[in-house]
Amino acid sequence: MISCWKENPRHDEDGVSHVISMDSRTQEAVDEGERRFTRPPSGDAAGRGASPPVFLYVLAFFSALGGFLFGYDTGVVSGAMLLLKEEMNLSALWQELLVSSTVGAAALSALGGGSLNGWLGRRACILLASLVFSIGGVIMSLAPDKVVLLVGRVTVGLGIGIASMTVPVYIAEVSPPHRRGQLVTVNSLFITGGQFAASVVDGAFSYVSRGGWRFMLGLSVLPAVLQFVGFLFLPESPRWLLQKGRSQEARRALSRIRGGRGVDEEYDTIRTSMEEEAKEAPGGGLVLLRMFAHGPTRRALVVGCGLQMFQQLAGINTVMYYSATILQMGGVQDVNQAIWLSAATSATNFVFTLVGVWLVERVGRRRLTLGSLSGTGLSLTVLAVGFWLSARYSPSTTLHPADAQNSTCRLYGSCELCVLDPRCGFCYRENGSAVFDSSCVPVGQASTGHAAWGRCSNQSAATSSPTWAYNYCPTSYSWVVLTGLLLYLAFFAPGMGTMPWTVNSEIYPLWARSTGNACSAGVNWTCNVLVSLTFLHVAQYLTYYGAFFVYTGLAALGLLFVLGCLPETQGLPLEDVESLFTGPLCSCGASSSARHVQYSRLNGSNAPSDDEDEDEDATEAD
């Protein structure tokens, strides 16, 4: 589709008005649009009717394996942590370190990934990311202790960070315009698919008596190696090659990707647009400083970074990283059952991400985000209430064995208070739903899977043996917690799971788009680290239900932020989106339809009508 832009008045420093007329290329485009009525379409227009080459889907598949690796690592640590904390006797701090170290490393490598992409290219960066991830997976599977395991987690994080910002760029640059949205979405689907696959792997290896976590973490090497081998035979981005002046290689790469269809026309279009972008890019000073100095981009940056911040502060990665732990906290006693139930949460996330892809162009970004945050706040409240009910009706301790080592644990009068102390566990017998002969005793030094001494220090499979509960209490309200988790992902995934990334790709002008997305992604990763590093400690100090009430409050703040600051960008050309941020920040949520220039299709182009010209002239005069 060719756009024919109206003449725009421009004023020089002396106030003299000039008119920028359509250049020869635009006039030729209009003529070309008129000729389309008399001859068959070519180029992209023809490509819309023809099925794309199979090679394009192969390329998208191998690219999106980077998203699968990201999702797999996010999901696998949830089940692995249940086994690790018992086998390595991990404290809350070490659990948080093993989870958040990957995220922190990813944040650093993502920030540096922009420079690497410009220097090495998209293909080389994806190869590097898969290689680094493979090395990290091997280190984790062979780790003899928690320190080496931490090194492996950091290594994996470095690979994830590079892939997370390179893969979407690569897919977008090699996709034809009419398939770009569909193919870029494949990466998001692979992320949630990786999380679901990880949950299934966690469930399968949770039955291994010792060392099952090694298989869980080590299997991530397989898709990483597959991606590395696949990209040895895939081409570089034609746009990056053109940017580096390697025009012949760019043409060959584009021809291979398109299967030889309409290559010359698309190649010329890409080259022309890149030349125009280079001319339009303003110079002088850091881009970030120019964004702060320019009102619309400053407001857009606040909205973009705010969306990414509230995505994380609403607790999504707390749920994904600690879903099995949360279920255990909610009273699911069996480790295997908790891991399989966390697989159900991952499946929910995957399914409702598909729902979001279907809804985004039907209800719009703003309404989808508002609905998502409203439901997220409601489901977090359900989670908090579930934990509150478990605490309210927590079994009391009926036995207080005297021992010098038990000076602290023996003082707790209920299971809830006992398990909030990471040094203590709850030992009890059960008759149906009734708990009796219960006591709070110190946890073992070698493993959290048994008590330091007493009747729960040597656990056996005998039915007469007492039950040892570390990090959870027996309760009949586990179903409330599971319901809250499923509702949370059902509401979060379609809107807040994807819209922060979608909106950030739209709200910045061309000269600020890369910097704006880099800043907002940095905010996302930073808040990710903050939430994942503090969740267990927040739960210890504020109780489990207190922690989720905090997340509920943050989701409510996010809802107010979106309600007042996020405009609707659905259906707008990227060039028109900046006008949504020309007014005060708090008015961004208001309808801006009066500011939009509407175009009608004319002879295959988008030439404005005479009435629209007059309306726009009047608007510009105002």
Side-chain angles (χ1 to χ4, degrees), residues 7 64 77 104 117 222 398 410 431 472 540 545 551 555 577 585 606:
E7 296 181 353
V77 72
N117 269 261
L222 297 181
T398 58
R410 68 188 301 269
N431 182 14
Y472 75 90
Q540 287 175 11
Y545 62 86
Y551 292 138
V577 173
L585 181 62
N606 280 348

Side-chain angles (χ1 to χ4, degrees), residues 212-265:
W213 58 269
R214 296 185 185 276
F215 297 99
M216 297 176 184
L217 299 175
L219 281 176
S220 62
V221 173
L222 297 181
V225 171
L226 178 62
Q227 184 184 48
F228 183 85
V229 174
F231 258 86
L232 290 176
F233 304 97
L234 295 177
E236 177 57 86
S237 163
R239 285 173 169 82
W240 183 84
L241 291 170
L242 269 174
Q243 187 182 37
K244 295 300 179 181
R246 295 155 62 176
S247 56
Q248 293 303 315
E249 291 180 59
R251 186 185 291 272
R252 286 195 298 269
L254 186 62
S255 178
R256 185 180 176 195
I257 294 169
R258 297 289 181 265
R261 302 176 187 171
V263 173
D264 291 338
E265 181 178 346

Side-chain angles (χ1 to χ4, degrees), residues 86 91 100 133 144 188 213 218 237 252 255 328 331 368 381 390 522 585 615 619:
E86 291 187 8
S91 64
S100 59
F133 197 103
S188 298
W213 58 269
S237 163
R252 286 195 298 269
S255 178
Q328 208 176 41
L368 185 57
T381 302
S390 297
L585 181 62
D615 292 343
T619 302

Side-chain angles (χ1 to χ4, degrees), residues 428-616:
Y428 68 98
R429 295 182 185 275
E430 194 171 23
N431 182 14
S433 59
V435 174
F436 63 97
D437 288 349
S438 56
S439 59
C440 184
V441 293
V443 69
Q445 296 297 315
S447 171
T448 59
H450 55 78
W453 52 266
R455 57 200 177 115
C456 281
S457 61
N458 185 19
Q459 292 289 283
S460 66
T463 56
S464 60
S465 298
T467 302
W468 171 249
Y470 180 75
N471 205 41
Y472 75 90
C473 289
T475 178
S476 58
Y477 296 102
S478 302
W479 66 271
V480 180
V481 175
L482 177 60
T483 301
L485 277 177
L486 295 177
L487 283 175
Y488 176 90
L489 291 171
F491 281 111
F492 188 95
M496 284 302 290
T498 55
M499 287 306 99
W501 302 102
T502 301
V503 171
N504 269 282
S505 69
E506 297 174 329
I507 60 177
Y508 306 109
L510 182 61
W511 61 270
R513 196 164 295 150
S514 295
T515 301
N517 277 280
C519 290
S520 62
V523 169
N524 184 287
W525 284 110
T526 301
C527 293
N528 190 334
V529 174
L530 176 66
V531 171
S532 61
L533 188 60
T534 59
F535 168 65
L536 293 180
H537 278 88
V538 170
Q540 287 175 11
Y541 289 107
L542 297 181
T543 71
Y544 301 141
Y545 62 86
F548 283 100
F549 275 129
V550 168
Y551 292 138
T552 302
L554 292 172
L557 289 177
L559 180 63
L560 294 176
F561 175 81
V562 171
L563 190 63
C565 299
L566 179 64
E568 180 56 71
T569 61
Q570 181 188 10
L572 290 179
L574 291 177
E575 292 79 10
D576 289 351
V577 173
E578 186 179 6
S579 66
L580 300 176
F581 296 94
T582 54
L585 181 62
C586 291
S587 66
C588 284
S591 175
S592 304
S593 58
R595 311 183 65 89
H596 302 165
V597 181
Q598 300 297 324
Y599 296 97
S600 58
R601 187 177 300 275
L602 178 64
N603 293 338
S605 66
N606 280 348
S609 65
D610 294 339
D611 292 339
E612 291 165 353
D613 287 351
E614 294 172 2
D615 292 343
E616 188 176 359

